[in-house]
Amino acid sequence: MFINKKQDRMKKLQTTITVFLVLLFVQSHPIHAEKTQLDINRISRTVAYTLPVFHLNQLPLDTHISTNAFNRYLETLDPARSYFLQSDIDEFKTDATQLHKQLRKGDISFATNAYERLMSRMQNRLDYTKKLLEQGFKTDINETFNWNRTESPWPQNQTDWDDLWRKRIKNEYLGRLIAKQLDETETASDNLETEPTSTNEVASAAETAGTEEPEYDEAYEDSLLTPEEFILEKYEQLLLTMQSFDQEMLLQRYLSAFSQIYDPHSDYLSPSGVEDFDINMKLSLVGIGAMLRPDDGAAKIVRLIPGGPAETDGRLKAGDKIIAVAQEDEDPVSILHWPLYKAVRLIRGEKDSKVTLTVIPASDRNGTRTKKIDLIRDEVKLEEQAAKRDLHEITTPAGETRKLGVITLPDFYADFKATSAKQADARRASTDVKKLINELREEKIEGLILDLRNNGGGSLVEAIEIAGLFITSGPIVQVKERRGLQVLPDADPNLDYDGPLIILVNRLSASASEILAAALQDYGRAIIIGDEHTHGKGTVQTLMSLGDKKGSLKLTTAGFYRINGGSTQLRGVVPDIVLPSLLDVMEVGEKELDYALPWDTIRPALYRKKSRYENHLSQLTEQSEQRRAANPEFQVFLEQRARLEERYASKTVSLLLSERLAEAQTEQELDEIQESRLGDPDSEEQNDLILNETLQIMSDLIDIKAGNQPALLAPSSLTDSLK
């Protein structure tokens, strides 16, 4: 099967985002009111009395918190203000000032009532969407759709409601129609004429081939749908997903609405939420090794985790839908229309135990046949979130080959629950990074880049330990609690790497990432490169257990400060060298979050700064600017960035087909220009312009430190210098 390369890459990104959004939806949105083992009354009362006592700012649980939690909860149910009517909001408001009192009594009836109203409204809008798609759209009318409705009023009446949805569905219809047109044009130009034209042909191919089934490809499956079918399937699936929610998920969303008024990083985690949090921190779980998302009431396999039991066994495929689960030799239990987290918990289990899955194969889109697959559960390592290393070879202006190391750290992970006997073997970010440094040193690297882009944080201890790998000893971060101030140091005098060091960050680098980057910047130990600033999360959260089967509160209990006395809260860490970023034109960062705590300062700690790179920053910046100005790939990137900035500033999108098609064609041309100049479009190394430029800056730094003055590379040799 041949798949358009660009479509495939974009679909992978879309799938990743969809999986993330669905998982976020499952973890954070309200649910169907089913029976639960949770003592909702007691948990609600416990949270009500715990929040004002243990949170850093100690705000009383009063009318102010209540009214804001009211708004917050409704925003999580209907963030685009498209389902609820103003009359619904007016009716709900009778409870707005009393929710804190109800919570102290363990009463969450408002949350359930609002959810049930949402279900009614969603069914209504699904029916209306079907009607719109049957009628069709006039694509030559010059009108616009406001895609950012976070501050828009709720629809005032049926007429407003219908007009909003007509434009919403028309916008999606145009987007899908144009995407199919562009894909068909590109497919024709690439002479890709061997794709099957229907799912029946896929099934027939499987039968002809015997037991070997065709590889499931979600991008291809979606391409078979008309725009109308694609949109309708999306909204039907959304409704089914929402209808599958239960009381545990409702409770998590509702109680989190209260805690997030104290600050955006405080949450209530249900028992399942705590389990997921532990898995993310220790990078392992016991199960079959499959990522799932809801699909038509079943648990659809998005992908298999390399090395897991399912991937090793080979019978389970991406795209298969799990509809029933059996433990050992027991009868299977149907999981159709279950909340995803419940299905996941049933599939997980004890190591070396057997689980039998009843699945609908990916190749059978109509769901007419099933098969049973038995697997032995085992520990699954989530290696994608673990630290990784790469060795890059740079050709210098003098024609020499220079080895540079890159360590990518997506998360500051640590297995907090490892027993004392297993602590030595417990998975930790610091031990992994130390190991990778030693491996790169054996490769004789001349410089090291620590890539913390998109790293949202994790263990504070691990951030301190990793910072200590690059300095002899000294304070790393200051932590201010209600009880006072603590200075947390690296007490280990060992130095694992003393060579040239760059920390690469962006606006999604947060919390522990900012601690590490700030400390090494304050010491003058590293050059920080990246977006205009990092995320700006300068707070510390503590997981407080509420008791057996009651979940936990993730509460902000402290703020952290740089050793120079400044906070990273709101402002983040400002890089020494700023490179252009798409995130800088988007509303990304702590300052964009509601109820974020303010920025402040404290007294600096005692530390000694070395001006190791400070005198070279202006020259490095100038050389980088010259190189980027001469780099055609960067110029295309800047044009794309400018178009994105215009889009975010406008808040509206045209619903005129000719105008939308022209915009899409222009963007496609920019993509094609960039791909043709970058070479292999599937090479992540080639496509990472920011990392490529950072490698060049590191090479410049090494030359400057050695007393050489690097010459500007010719534009044609810029991408060729990276092997």
Side-chain angles (χ1 to χ4, degrees), residues 461-596:
V461 173
E462 292 305 296
I464 295 172
E465 292 285 340
I466 293 175
L469 301 176
F470 304 105
I471 64 172
T472 51
S473 61
I476 301 298
V477 63
Q478 302 186 84
V479 180
K480 182 181 179 182
E481 304 173 284
R482 297 195 313 270
R483 296 172 295 180
L485 180 68
Q486 280 186 298
V487 180
L488 303 182
D490 164 51
D492 186 354
N494 292 326
L495 187 61
D496 289 81
Y497 178 76
D498 192 37
L501 178 64
I502 289 177
I503 308 294
L504 187 55
V505 296
N506 63 9
R507 283 190 182 230
L508 298 179
S509 304
S511 192
S513 293
E514 295 172 294
I515 291 174
L516 176 57
L520 296 180
Q521 186 181 53
D522 289 342
Y523 275 109
R525 176 63 189 89
I527 295 176
I528 313 301
I529 295 179
D531 296 0
E532 292 176 353
H533 58 76
T534 56
H535 188 83
K537 180 181 178 293
T539 55
V540 179
Q541 284 70 45
T542 301
L543 202 62
M544 301 177 60
S545 174
L546 301 180
D548 185 41
K549 296 184 179 180
K550 294 183 178 65
S552 297
L553 270 177
K554 181 163 69 72
L555 281 184
T556 296
T557 56
F560 64 75
Y561 296 79
R562 304 173 65 138
I563 54 178
N564 69 7
S567 172
T568 61
Q569 179 65 15
L570 291 184
R571 300 184 182 183
V573 177
V574 178
D576 301 301
I577 299 176
V578 176
L579 297 181
S581 167
L582 296 179
L583 293 175
D584 281 336
V585 302
M586 301 165 67
E587 297 175 353
V588 176
E590 184 84 1
K591 63 184 180 182
E592 306 295 339
L593 301 179
D594 295 332
Y595 313 109

Side-chain angles (χ1 to χ4, degrees), residues 160-277:
D160 289 347
W161 201 26
D162 288 349
D163 190 58
L164 166 62
W165 273 83
R166 179 185 64 80
K167 291 183 176 180
R168 172 173 174 161
I169 301 304
K170 183 178 179 180
N171 174 57
E172 296 186 24
Y173 174 80
L174 288 175
R176 188 66 185 170
L177 185 66
I178 292 170
K180 285 181 72 68
Q181 288 183 12
L182 294 179
D183 286 341
E184 289 170 2
T185 301
E186 190 169 357
T187 299
S189 66
D190 292 338
N191 294 317
L192 300 181
E193 300 175 351
T194 58
E195 286 192 39
T197 57
S198 71
T199 51
N200 289 332
E201 290 184 37
V202 175
S204 297
E207 293 170 3
T208 303
T211 58
E212 185 68 22
E213 293 184 352
E215 182 179 352
Y216 171 78
D217 188 279
E218 191 167 13
Y220 171 66
E221 292 291 333
D222 286 344
S223 72
L224 300 176
L225 301 176
T226 65
E228 293 85 353
E229 290 171 337
F230 182 86
I231 294 170
L232 187 58
E233 186 175 286
K234 167 188 171 182
Y235 282 98
E236 287 176 338
Q237 183 59 49
L238 177 60
L239 180 59
L240 286 171
T241 301
M242 292 294 291
Q243 288 174 337
S244 72
F245 295 165
D246 67 2
Q247 280 282 19
E248 181 174 344
M249 299 165 71
L250 169 63
L251 187 67
Q252 178 166 296
R253 174 46 34 200
Y254 187 56
L255 296 183
S256 290
F258 280 89
S259 61
Q260 288 170 8
I261 306 306
Y262 285 79
D263 87 289
H265 305 292
S266 291
D267 292 288
Y268 166 73
L269 301 180
S270 69
S272 297
V274 174
E275 182 180 336
D276 291 337
F277 179 83

Side-chain angles (χ1 to χ4, degrees), residues 355-622:
V355 60
T356 302
L357 308 176
T358 304
V359 305
I360 300 173
S363 58
D364 182 12
R365 190 174 179 86
N366 297 322
T368 56
R369 61 189 177 93
T370 62
K371 60 182 179 180
K372 291 188 177 182
I373 298 175
D374 57 298
L375 297 167
I376 302 300
R377 298 181 178 102
D378 198 357
E379 185 175 14
V380 180
K381 299 293 185 181
L382 307 180
E383 292 298 326
E384 290 186 357
Q385 284 300 104
K388 299 176 181 64
R389 72 172 181 91
D390 286 297
L391 183 67
H392 295 259
E393 293 185 349
I394 300 291
T395 301
T396 70
E400 299 175 349
T401 298
R402 172 168 289 148
K403 291 183 178 181
L404 302 177
V406 176
I407 293 178
T408 303
L409 183 64
D411 193 30
F412 289 86
Y413 48 88
D415 187 354
F416 294 124
K417 293 191 174 182
T419 62
S420 56
K422 295 183 178 181
Q423 276 296 333
D425 298 325
R427 197 67 186 270
R428 297 176 57 193
S430 58
T431 54
D432 286 352
V433 171
K434 182 174 183 176
K435 176 185 176 183
L436 297 179
I437 288 175
N438 291 334
E439 292 176 1
L440 288 169
R441 288 179 62 185
E442 292 178 359
E443 298 278 0
K444 308 297 182 184
I445 61 169
E446 297 182 57
L448 177 64
I449 297 171
L450 182 58
D451 191 347
L452 299 181
R453 288 176 297 174
N454 307 324
N455 184 323
S459 168
L460 175 65
V461 173
E462 292 305 296
I464 295 172
E465 292 285 340
I466 293 175
L469 301 176
F470 304 105
I471 64 172
T472 51
S473 61
I476 301 298
V477 63
Q478 302 186 84
V479 180
K480 182 181 179 182
E481 304 173 284
R482 297 195 313 270
R483 296 172 295 180
L485 180 68
Q486 280 186 298
V487 180
L488 303 182
D490 164 51
D492 186 354
N494 292 326
L495 187 61
D496 289 81
Y497 178 76
D498 192 37
L501 178 64
I502 289 177
I503 308 294
L504 187 55
V505 296
N506 63 9
R507 283 190 182 230
L508 298 179
S509 304
S511 192
S513 293
E514 295 172 294
I515 291 174
L516 176 57
L520 296 180
Q521 186 181 53
D522 289 342
Y523 275 109
R525 176 63 189 89
I527 295 176
I528 313 301
I529 295 179
D531 296 0
E532 292 176 353
H533 58 76
T534 56
H535 188 83
K537 180 181 178 293
T539 55
V540 179
Q541 284 70 45
T542 301
L543 202 62
M544 301 177 60
S545 174
L546 301 180
D548 185 41
K549 296 184 179 180
K550 294 183 178 65
S552 297
L553 270 177
K554 181 163 69 72
L555 281 184
T556 296
T557 56
F560 64 75
Y561 296 79
R562 304 173 65 138
I563 54 178
N564 69 7
S567 172
T568 61
Q569 179 65 15
L570 291 184
R571 300 184 182 183
V573 177
V574 178
D576 301 301
I577 299 176
V578 176
L579 297 181
S581 167
L582 296 179
L583 293 175
D584 281 336
V585 302
M586 301 165 67
E587 297 175 353
V588 176
E590 184 84 1
K591 63 184 180 182
E592 306 295 339
L593 301 179
D594 295 332
Y595 313 109
L597 299 180
W599 178 86
D600 63 343
T601 62
I602 60 174
R603 292 178 60 183
L606 296 176
Y607 70 101
R608 179 176 297 177
K609 179 175 181 177
K610 295 182 179 180
S611 300
R612 194 167 183 172
Y613 308 115
E614 192 172 355
N615 296 333
H616 308 314
L617 291 177
S618 60
Q619 183 178 349
L620 291 171
T621 301
E622 182 179 357

Side-chain angles (χ1 to χ4, degrees), residues 138-151:
K138 294 182 178 180
T139 60
D140 57 351
I141 299 176
N142 190 9
E143 58 182 348
T144 60
F145 172 66
N146 180 9
W147 58 267
N148 187 339
R149 289 185 46 81
T150 55
E151 297 181 1

